[in-house]
Amino acid sequence: MQDLLPPVPDCRDSSYRAHIARAESSSVIGFDLNREGWIWWPEREDLSLEFMRLLAAAQDGGSMVSECWLTASRIDFSDDDSWCLEWVRTAEANHERGNAAAANGNLVTARSNWLRAINYYQAAAHPFDHSPDRQRTMLAAMRACAAKYLRHRQPRGEVVSIPWLGEFALQGYFLPARPAGDRAPVVICIGEPGHRKEEFLSKLARHAVDRGISLLAVDLLGDGTGARFEDVVRRYELELAVEHIMDYVAGRDDVDAGRIAILGDGWSSSFVARGIASDGRYAAAVCDGGIWDSHERMFLKRRIGRSRTTVAWSPETNRLLRNISCPLLVTAGGRGWLKPDRVVALTDQPWVGHRDFTLKIFEGAETAAAQGHIDNPTLANEFIFDWLASRLGASAP
């Protein structure tokens, strides 16, 4: 696979030297720590959250804390391009170190550097509306690193294409937990619309494979060869993709079709719950269980005046939760977008006690309490994958 990398900032280039000079001479916005323990820059919450994601990724090999702080120290917040330039610079350093290590036969080091480069490229592309050419370049760089990582891991992973719409195929990364030919349980890891699957290679893969579970990392952004995601998301119900992903996984000869689970990462919608509510093939699921759909429906009812008080439980409060037949885990952060009492109210329904349902709320005192557990994904994923392993009957290889 030919590498298509963003241009490496050239220290001899006058515009780049000027950027460095501004960063070194300006009063760079300082770091602070708010009362909830989040590292932040005043007036740049978006960048603060992305920086927190990068720091947390270090726990599973997706970054290095020292590199994150060094890169952040070079950013000039008066220059919108500075964030992108500096994270590309750090990504390139890791990408090139990985290539050099692979050339010398040091594959463990190579894989580690490629995983970090993926997250740094993602950070570079995160906060701004880049030109289409720059976006494509960033995406190509991330996918090049991912392909190298898969090709050099053991057992070897693969890039897969999953048919969905005629003009829009999905792309996934399949990481087997066992050598070729052995059927194994598998978890489908899918992110919210707009989230990229590449970060799952560091964030989730180890937790699955260490427990003898294969992993399919997939997103809804397509393989880049057909229609644009922005067009698809306006025209189609995204939950229909979940059925096509399940069809693909169940048809693989290295998957135990009776032990397939799904994990909706960083939930802020109910598209995964909608996708599995009428599909009885899943052995377990980790998602929002329809909470967001229920919350939004009650919010709209209040807004249009049908109810001016808090809506109590009714048979229609969470129809998705009623229809999910497989064992279900819902995890939430105590400092997430929905308050814990709201999460409890939306899952406390009469029929829930008669099925395998688990609600886990991570409080601030233990971390993993932010939305999507962004502050400590490792802690949340340890709990999640222990639960999945128990439902799938999986064990360490």
Side-chain angles (χ1 to χ4, degrees):
M1 179 176 180
Q2 184 178 3
D3 296 345
L4 300 173
L5 305 179
V8 179
D10 188 343
C11 62
R12 296 169 297 179
D13 181 78
S14 59
S15 62
Y16 187 70
R17 291 201 308 270
H19 154 68
I20 294 296
R22 288 196 303 272
E24 292 176 345
S25 63
S26 65
S27 56
V28 178
I29 297 177
F31 302 110
D32 201 351
L33 192 67
N34 71 12
R35 62 184 178 84
E36 293 186 332
W38 292 6
I39 297 167
W40 61 290
W41 291 280
E43 300 181 357
R44 291 312 304 261
E45 182 179 359
D46 56 338
L47 301 186
S48 299
L49 290 173
E50 180 63 10
F51 187 66
M52 181 168 63
R53 183 193 71 82
L54 281 169
L55 289 177
Q59 299 169 157
D60 287 312
S63 68
M64 288 196 295
V65 172
S66 57
E67 279 190 327
C68 291
W69 283 109
L70 178 61
T71 304
S73 72
R74 298 194 302 250
I75 296 172
D76 176 6
F77 286 85
S78 66
D79 178 4
D80 283 346
D81 287 332
S82 179
W83 173 277
C84 178
L85 284 170
E86 293 301 342
W87 287 115
V88 167
R89 180 180 176 188
T90 302
E92 288 293 337
N94 281 266
H95 196 163
E96 292 172 3
R97 275 200 305 265
N99 293 345
N104 291 325
N106 300 317
L107 298 184
V108 174
T109 298
R111 291 193 297 265
S112 297
N113 277 275
W114 291 328
L115 285 179
R116 293 194 295 269
I118 287 171
N119 277 289
Y120 297 145
Y121 282 129
Q122 181 171 328
H126 171 74
F128 304 114
D129 292 328
H130 298 297
S131 68
D133 287 343
R134 178 177 277 187
Q135 283 284 11
R136 283 191 292 268
T137 303
M138 294 286 185
L139 177 59
M142 283 195 295
R143 289 183 171 177
C145 289
K148 292 174 184 178
Y149 171 81
L150 294 171
R151 190 164 59 247
H152 290 91
R153 75 180 292 272
Q154 291 295 331
R156 179 170 177 156
E158 59 181 299
V159 181
V160 301
S161 181
I162 302 172
W164 178 26
L165 307 172
E167 73 280 22
F168 193 85
L170 302 176
Q171 186 183 82
Y173 302 138
F174 188 81
L175 289 75
R178 301 175 183 174
D182 292 345
R183 291 185 180 271
V186 64
V187 58
I188 300 165
C189 297
I190 184 169
E192 289 293 319
H195 288 224
R196 298 201 176 277
K197 62 188 177 299
E198 282 74 21
E199 70 173 299
F200 297 163
L201 296 180
S202 59
K203 181 179 179 181
L204 301 176
R206 175 181 67 85
H207 297 284
V209 175
D210 284 354
R211 292 165 175 83
I213 304 171
S214 298
L215 179 141
L216 174 68
V218 63
D219 57 33
L220 298 174
L221 295 168
D223 61 7
T225 61
R228 296 193 314 149
F229 172 74
E230 292 79 4
D231 298 329
V232 171
V233 76
R234 287 194 295 264
R235 293 161 47 202
Y236 298 94
E237 296 175 331
L238 294 181
E239 61 267 24
L240 299 178
V242 176
E243 178 183 358
H244 289 259
I245 296 169
M246 177 52 143
D247 290 341
Y248 167 79
V249 172
R252 290 185 62 104
D253 58 11
D254 54 358
V255 167
D256 184 342
R259 294 192 291 167
I260 300 174
I262 189 167
L263 164 60
D265 183 66
W267 57 269
S268 55
S269 74
S270 293
F271 88 97
V272 171
R274 292 194 300 270
I276 67 175
S278 59
D279 193 331
R281 293 176 290 176
Y282 286 96
V286 183
C287 65
D288 85 312
I291 287 175
W292 279 105
D293 272 9
S294 299
H295 174 73
E296 291 173 356
R297 185 164 55 250
M298 288 190 289
F299 175 78
L300 289 174
K301 285 182 178 179
R302 288 196 295 269
R303 286 293 299 268
I304 63 178
R306 293 180 181 175
S307 174
R308 300 183 181 279
T309 60
T310 301
V311 178
W313 176 87
S314 72
E316 295 186 355
T317 299
N318 195 337
R319 289 172 291 181
L320 289 177
L321 184 59
R322 180 202 296 267
N323 292 329
I324 295 174
S325 59
C326 66
L328 175 66
L329 169 64
V330 173
T331 68
R335 294 200 304 262
W337 296 342
L338 287 182
K339 299 299 182 184
D341 57 350
R342 170 61 70 181
V343 175
V344 171
L346 291 170
T347 56
D348 186 17
Q349 302 188 11
W351 60 83
V352 169
H354 301 288
R355 62 176 58 179
D356 186 347
F357 172 76
T358 304
L359 173 63
K360 169 63 176 176
I361 296 178
F362 290 88
E363 301 294 348
E366 60 179 332
T367 68
Q371 178 66 26
H373 313 300
I374 190 175
D375 56 325
N376 192 348
T378 303
L379 182 65
N381 288 328
E382 288 173 346
F383 183 94
I384 288 169
F385 280 90
D386 283 346
W387 183 92
L388 284 169
S390 69
R391 270 55 180 186
L392 297 177
S395 58

